[in-house]
Amino acid sequence: MSGARSFFGTDGVRGRVGDWPITPDQVLQLGWAAGRILTADNGDHPRVVIGKDTRVSGYLLESALEAGLSGAGVDVLLLGPMPTPGIAYLTHALRADAGVVISASHNAFEDNGIKLFGPGGRKLPDEVEAAIEVQMGEPLATAEPARLGKATRIDDAGGRYIEFCKHTFPKDLTLEGLTVVVDCAHGATYRVAPQVLRELGAEVVEMAARPDGFNINDEVGSLHPEGMAAEVVERGAHLGMAFDGDGDRVVFADANGDIVDGDGALYLAALEMQKRGELDGGVVGTVMSNLGLEQALAESGIPFHRAAVGDRHVFQMLTDNNWILGGEPSGHVMCLTRNTTGDGIVTALMVLAELARTGQALTEAVAGLTYYPQTQVGIRLSERRDVSGVPEVAAAIREVEAELGGAGRVVVRNSGTEPKVRIMVEGRDEARTRELAEGIAEVVRAEMGAAEA
């Protein structure tokens, strides 16, 4: 591993398979290094859970991780295809010392990634990741033959997670009489999500539930919910839902085929929890959450705070405030009394519980949430540069904010993964927000060396 490059990013490591760092030798080294740290902290034969999504490269990376961990003296529990939140849950339920997710979430099949959970299914502490990264720089040396780890396949992993999800749905409610289109993105939810909903009484129309290793997220799932929405209308279903490849996100469509994003899911989940007396405190969104969500929650007496973009920032603000519910417009919603990370299936059940409790259709249930039009523009830069240090951009932002007053917002930020500036302008008038966003974009292009016209 090059000392000039950091292995772990803000949420594990991700990239194109075959390119550094998603190569068999690096993943083998990662498994061994993680195993060495675990054996040092937990004695002989700690246990690590490994789960994956449906990418063809999952076989390769799973084998490399298993070899590295076993070589360090760690026993491995193999879950097979399993949503990321299911891996977090089973890390806790199986009392494992760590969990590993092999997934690139909503990316195409060519990419893959590794994310680590600590005991209890929570994110691995930064200091442990740092220790693993230091260990990766050491020569790989296997444990003595008598101390090598074993691997065991957990055949009932899917059934365990299905039961967990069902237990988050109120026992006094049912989904009987409901027809739901379920788009599994040819990903990790393809076995479990339809089964959960059927066992709770729903009639399920499956979509994108035939993974072949290459079709994950391919024009389906939460990033491409249009097909799911069309299927809802064609089938005359009550609503539909689309998960992403690893199952930690979900977005919806109502009976008319209109999309309800993560802000809508978060709104309904908050109402459901509030009415049951389960909402302790307020709700955390991000700077990209729609102003309409903030206003709708305020009308229900629910406080709302904004974190930076990214689930780790949402989780941190929830922890700091001792709150339990938060999420992002992408459909990544977390309820910390139900799971330790975002869980698409559990989020869907929270939304469905609100509909079942009120007897409302999804269209009616979200009527109290009025979205403000948002325009988003991404500018790729010729080199990475901090937008907050450019006076001309700051002046352009101030001008737009002055025009919008309290009836809109401006967010201009650097991408966390690319040399890009992302611009979002939100206001009452869609055409004007587009003009204002493009005005800021012109200043960014002129002052920051854009790589594109």
Side-chain angles (χ1 to χ4, degrees):
M1 182 183 70
S2 169
R5 292 182 287 186
S6 175
F7 191 82
F8 290 107
T10 57
D11 193 24
V13 57
R14 186 181 299 178
R16 186 179 176 87
V17 176
D19 293 342
W20 190 95
I22 309 299
T23 59
D25 58 324
Q26 285 295 303
V27 174
L28 174 74
Q29 190 83 6
L30 170 62
W32 171 80
R36 285 294 295 266
I37 298 301
L38 288 171
T39 52
D41 291 344
N42 300 294
D44 288 341
H45 294 295
R47 301 196 306 164
V48 172
V49 165
I50 299 179
K52 60 185 180 181
D53 64 24
T54 56
R55 293 161 213 273
V56 67
S57 58
Y59 298 98
L60 168 69
L61 302 183
E62 179 185 58
S63 296
L65 276 168
E66 178 188 339
L69 287 162
S70 175
V74 174
D75 289 336
V76 175
L77 306 176
L78 298 170
L79 305 181
M82 177 65 57
T84 291
I87 299 165
Y89 163 70
L90 288 165
T91 300
H92 169 68
L94 294 169
R95 299 186 179 185
D97 297 283
V100 184
V101 178
I102 303 172
S103 175
S105 188
H106 52 278
N107 289 26
F109 87 92
E110 294 93 343
D111 292 344
N112 217 327
I114 308 289
K115 181 160 63 173
L116 303 177
F117 290 118
R122 297 191 178 276
K123 186 184 184 300
L124 203 65
D126 290 342
E127 59 269 20
V128 178
E129 280 192 356
I132 292 171
E133 190 151 343
V134 170
Q135 185 68 47
M136 287 184 69
E138 300 297 322
L140 191 152
T142 59
E144 291 295 320
R147 296 180 58 198
L148 293 174
K150 298 178 181 179
T152 304
R153 189 161 294 280
I154 307 300
D155 293 325
D156 64 345
R160 291 179 186 230
Y161 180 54
I162 286 170
E163 288 304 308
F164 160 75
C165 291
K166 285 165 56 183
H167 280 299
T168 68
F169 190 76
K171 291 182 173 60
D172 59 320
L173 299 177
T174 180
L175 298 181
E176 290 181 5
L178 199 69
T179 300
V180 184
V181 174
V182 180
D183 177 350
C184 297
H186 297 303
T189 62
Y190 81 103
R191 287 178 177 167
V192 293
Q195 191 66 19
V196 167
L197 295 167
R198 287 193 180 102
E199 292 188 14
L200 289 172
E203 180 181 341
V204 175
V205 178
E206 293 187 21
M207 248 190 89
R210 296 179 178 273
D212 61 12
F214 306 96
N215 58 3
I216 186 171
N217 300 315
D218 187 7
E219 299 301 317
V220 291
S222 62
L223 284 184
H224 307 281
E226 300 82 10
M228 175 271 293
E231 188 76 3
V232 169
V233 175
E234 182 176 339
R235 295 287 189 127
H238 294 93
L239 75 156
M241 59 188 68
F243 300 97
D244 68 336
D246 75 329
D248 62 1
R249 301 183 186 188
V250 63
V251 299
F252 301 84
D254 65 16
N256 301 316
D258 294 327
I259 302 299
V260 177
D261 67 1
D263 283 347
L266 191 56
Y267 171 64
L268 295 181
L271 293 183
E272 204 273 332
M273 293 183 69
Q274 182 190 51
K275 289 162 187 172
R276 287 186 172 271
E278 298 176 4
L279 185 64
D280 188 8
V283 171
V284 172
T286 74
V287 293
M288 300 303 291
S289 299
N290 198 280
L291 183 58
L293 172 63
E294 182 175 352
Q295 294 177 345
L297 290 173
E299 290 177 6
S300 294
I302 300 174
F304 181 75
H305 289 175
R306 295 180 184 272
V309 172
D311 62 287
R312 67 181 290 144
H313 299 297
V314 173
F315 178 84
Q316 187 60 55
M317 186 169 285
L318 287 173
T319 302
D320 292 345
N321 286 279
N322 201 27
W323 292 356
I324 58 177
L325 182 66
E328 302 182 84
S330 64
H332 192 282
V333 175
M334 61 183 71
C335 177
L336 300 184
T337 55
R338 287 166 167 77
N339 207 341
T340 57
T341 187
D343 191 320
I345 296 175
V346 170
T347 299
L349 293 180
M350 295 174 75
V351 169
L352 293 173
E354 173 66 4
L355 301 183
R357 188 193 63 78
T358 62
Q360 292 180 314
L362 181 57
T363 308
E364 299 171 294
V366 297
L369 170 58
T370 302
Y371 286 86
Y372 279 58
Q374 288 184 345
T375 296
Q376 300 185 38
V377 181
I379 310 295
R380 183 170 293 277
L381 305 179
S382 55
E383 60 181 6
R384 191 177 292 273
R385 184 180 172 192
D386 186 0
V387 68
S388 65
V390 183
E392 293 83 358
V393 175
I397 294 170
R398 287 193 298 271
E399 288 181 15
V400 172
E401 288 177 333
E403 176 176 332
L404 293 172
R409 297 183 308 120
V410 180
V411 178
V412 179
R413 62 185 181 89
N414 288 92
S415 166
T417 58
E418 304 173 88
K420 237 180 181 183
V421 170
R422 302 190 187 279
I423 300 162
M424 188 279 288
V425 177
E426 182 178 67
R428 289 200 175 102
D429 182 83
E430 184 172 3
R432 186 55 181 156
T433 62
R434 191 178 304 115
E435 292 172 358
L436 294 173
E438 285 296 339
I440 296 174
E442 287 180 12
V443 177
V444 171
R445 293 186 184 103
E447 301 296 333
M448 298 190 66
E452 56 192 22

